[in-house]
Amino acid sequence: MPPADSALDADEIARARGLLVRRKRPQRMWPVLAAAAFLAVSALAFATAMILAPPLVSEHVAHQRGAN
């Protein structure tokens, strides 16, 4: 069937197709930057805790005093 014999209005079909097209939103950067900042702060806090933690060497108190 040729397009001229259609009962649909070509201008309205074009308008409807235009309304159905999704508009592209710009990508947001703040979630990415917030995640990166959170991971950086977490890594620094973990490194600080590891440096400031006492060593894991343990000796029994009785061995230090010479008791058996």
Side-chain angles (χ1 to χ4, degrees):
M1 185 158 101
D5 293 341
S6 176
L8 300 174
D9 187 12
D11 293 332
E12 291 300 319
I13 295 294
R15 179 177 168 268
R17 285 186 181 151
L19 291 174
L20 289 175
V21 173
R22 293 182 115 185
R23 292 187 180 113
K24 292 184 179 180
R25 292 188 218 169
Q27 294 289 329
R28 296 182 183 170
M29 284 300 292
W30 69 266
V32 176
L33 292 176
F38 175 73
L39 290 175
V41 169
S42 301
L44 288 174
F46 182 71
T48 303
M50 292 301 292
I51 290 171
L52 296 178
L56 295 177
V57 177
S58 63
E59 295 180 21
H60 199 275
V61 177
H63 289 270
Q64 290 178 353
R65 294 185 181 168
N68 289 346

PDB file of all heavy atoms in Angstrom, residues 42-55:
ATOM      1  N   SER A  42      39.605   5.796  52.948  1.00  0.00           N
ATOM      2  CA  SER A  42      39.647   4.474  53.589  1.00  0.00           C
ATOM      3  C   SER A  42      41.051   3.884  53.540  1.00  0.00           C
ATOM      4  O   SER A  42      41.529   3.321  54.537  1.00  0.00           O
ATOM      5  CB  SER A  42      38.681   3.516  52.901  1.00  0.00           C
ATOM      6  OG  SER A  42      37.374   3.998  52.957  1.00  0.00           O
ATOM      7  N   ALA A  43      41.697   3.996  52.403  1.00  0.00           N
ATOM      8  CA  ALA A  43      43.057   3.463  52.272  1.00  0.00           C
ATOM      9  C   ALA A  43      44.030   4.198  53.198  1.00  0.00           C
ATOM     10  O   ALA A  43      44.893   3.569  53.836  1.00  0.00           O
ATOM     11  CB  ALA A  43      43.515   3.567  50.826  1.00  0.00           C
ATOM     12  N   LEU A  44      43.882   5.511  53.284  1.00  0.00           N
ATOM     13  CA  LEU A  44      44.768   6.269  54.178  1.00  0.00           C
ATOM     14  C   LEU A  44      44.502   5.924  55.639  1.00  0.00           C
ATOM     15  O   LEU A  44      45.444   5.818  56.433  1.00  0.00           O
ATOM     16  CB  LEU A  44      44.587   7.767  53.941  1.00  0.00           C
ATOM     17  CG  LEU A  44      45.173   8.294  52.632  1.00  0.00           C
ATOM     18  CD1 LEU A  44      44.796   9.748  52.433  1.00  0.00           C
ATOM     19  CD2 LEU A  44      46.682   8.121  52.618  1.00  0.00           C
ATOM     20  N   ALA A  45      43.251   5.744  56.005  1.00  0.00           N
ATOM     21  CA  ALA A  45      42.932   5.374  57.385  1.00  0.00           C
ATOM     22  C   ALA A  45      43.481   3.990  57.714  1.00  0.00           C
ATOM     23  O   ALA A  45      44.026   3.772  58.804  1.00  0.00           O
ATOM     24  CB  ALA A  45      41.413   5.421  57.590  1.00  0.00           C
ATOM     25  N   PHE A  46      43.359   3.065  56.790  1.00  0.00           N
ATOM     26  CA  PHE A  46      43.893   1.714  57.022  1.00  0.00           C
ATOM     27  C   PHE A  46      45.416   1.745  57.132  1.00  0.00           C
ATOM     28  O   PHE A  46      45.996   1.089  58.004  1.00  0.00           O
ATOM     29  CB  PHE A  46      43.452   0.792  55.890  1.00  0.00           C
ATOM     30  CG  PHE A  46      43.916  -0.613  56.056  1.00  0.00           C
ATOM     31  CD1 PHE A  46      43.360  -1.428  57.038  1.00  0.00           C
ATOM     32  CD2 PHE A  46      44.910  -1.138  55.247  1.00  0.00           C
ATOM     33  CE1 PHE A  46      43.792  -2.732  57.201  1.00  0.00           C
ATOM     34  CE2 PHE A  46      45.339  -2.439  55.402  1.00  0.00           C
ATOM     35  CZ  PHE A  46      44.780  -3.236  56.383  1.00  0.00           C
ATOM     36  N   ALA A  47      46.066   2.500  56.269  1.00  0.00           N
ATOM     37  CA  ALA A  47      47.527   2.592  56.326  1.00  0.00           C
ATOM     38  C   ALA A  47      47.979   3.241  57.631  1.00  0.00           C
ATOM     39  O   ALA A  47      48.957   2.793  58.254  1.00  0.00           O
ATOM     40  CB  ALA A  47      48.045   3.388  55.127  1.00  0.00           C
ATOM     41  N   THR A  48      47.271   4.254  58.075  1.00  0.00           N
ATOM     42  CA  THR A  48      47.614   4.910  59.338  1.00  0.00           C
ATOM     43  C   THR A  48      47.439   3.948  60.509  1.00  0.00           C
ATOM     44  O   THR A  48      48.289   3.894  61.410  1.00  0.00           O
ATOM     45  CB  THR A  48      46.733   6.158  59.536  1.00  0.00           C
ATOM     46  OG1 THR A  48      46.910   7.030  58.425  1.00  0.00           O
ATOM     47  CG2 THR A  48      47.094   6.894  60.810  1.00  0.00           C
ATOM     48  N   ALA A  49      46.356   3.198  60.490  1.00  0.00           N
ATOM     49  CA  ALA A  49      46.126   2.225  61.565  1.00  0.00           C
ATOM     50  C   ALA A  49      47.206   1.151  61.573  1.00  0.00           C
ATOM     51  O   ALA A  49      47.655   0.717  62.644  1.00  0.00           O
ATOM     52  CB  ALA A  49      44.747   1.590  61.407  1.00  0.00           C
ATOM     53  N   MET A  50      47.641   0.722  60.396  1.00  0.00           N
ATOM     54  CA  MET A  50      48.683  -0.301  60.334  1.00  0.00           C
ATOM     55  C   MET A  50      50.021   0.231  60.821  1.00  0.00           C
ATOM     56  O   MET A  50      50.803  -0.497  61.437  1.00  0.00           O
ATOM     57  CB  MET A  50      48.816  -0.831  58.907  1.00  0.00           C
ATOM     58  CG  MET A  50      47.621  -1.634  58.445  1.00  0.00           C
ATOM     59  SD  MET A  50      47.300  -3.061  59.473  1.00  0.00           S
ATOM     60  CE  MET A  50      48.709  -4.068  59.126  1.00  0.00           C
ATOM     61  N   ILE A  51      50.308   1.498  60.559  1.00  0.00           N
ATOM     62  CA  ILE A  51      51.587   2.081  60.998  1.00  0.00           C
ATOM     63  C   ILE A  51      51.578   2.325  62.503  1.00  0.00           C
ATOM     64  O   ILE A  51      52.575   2.077  63.196  1.00  0.00           O
ATOM     65  CB  ILE A  51      51.864   3.385  60.225  1.00  0.00           C
ATOM     66  CG1 ILE A  51      52.181   3.055  58.765  1.00  0.00           C
ATOM     67  CG2 ILE A  51      52.997   4.177  60.860  1.00  0.00           C
ATOM     68  CD1 ILE A  51      52.264   4.254  57.868  1.00  0.00           C
ATOM     69  N   LEU A  52      50.452   2.796  63.030  1.00  0.00           N
ATOM     70  CA  LEU A  52      50.391   3.149  64.441  1.00  0.00           C
ATOM     71  C   LEU A  52      50.080   1.962  65.351  1.00  0.00           C
ATOM     72  O   LEU A  52      50.209   2.082  66.572  1.00  0.00           O
ATOM     73  CB  LEU A  52      49.335   4.237  64.656  1.00  0.00           C
ATOM     74  CG  LEU A  52      49.626   5.579  63.973  1.00  0.00           C
ATOM     75  CD1 LEU A  52      48.496   6.542  64.232  1.00  0.00           C
ATOM     76  CD2 LEU A  52      50.947   6.151  64.457  1.00  0.00           C
ATOM     77  N   ALA A  53      49.695   0.846  64.811  1.00  0.00           N
ATOM     78  CA  ALA A  53      49.362  -0.326  65.633  1.00  0.00           C
ATOM     79  C   ALA A  53      50.629  -0.887  66.272  1.00  0.00           C
ATOM     80  O   ALA A  53      51.709  -0.844  65.681  1.00  0.00           O
ATOM     81  CB  ALA A  53      48.696  -1.391  64.769  1.00  0.00           C
ATOM     82  N   PRO A  54      50.494  -1.405  67.477  1.00  0.00           N
ATOM     83  CA  PRO A  54      51.674  -2.007  68.107  1.00  0.00           C
ATOM     84  C   PRO A  54      52.072  -3.277  67.369  1.00  0.00           C
ATOM     85  O   PRO A  54      51.259  -3.909  66.704  1.00  0.00           O
ATOM     86  CB  PRO A  54      51.193  -2.318  69.527  1.00  0.00           C
ATOM     87  CG  PRO A  54      49.720  -2.366  69.438  1.00  0.00           C
ATOM     88  CD  PRO A  54      49.315  -1.448  68.322  1.00  0.00           C
ATOM     89  N   PRO A  55      53.337  -3.659  67.481  1.00  0.00           N
ATOM     90  CA  PRO A  55      53.784  -4.869  66.783  1.00  0.00           C
ATOM     91  C   PRO A  55      53.083  -6.110  67.348  1.00  0.00           C
ATOM     92  O   PRO A  55      52.648  -6.148  68.486  1.00  0.00           O
ATOM     93  CB  PRO A  55      55.287  -4.907  67.048  1.00  0.00           C
ATOM     94  CG  PRO A  55      55.509  -4.024  68.194  1.00  0.00           C
ATOM     95  CD  PRO A  55      54.407  -3.014  68.209  1.00  0.00           C
TER      96      PRO A  55
END
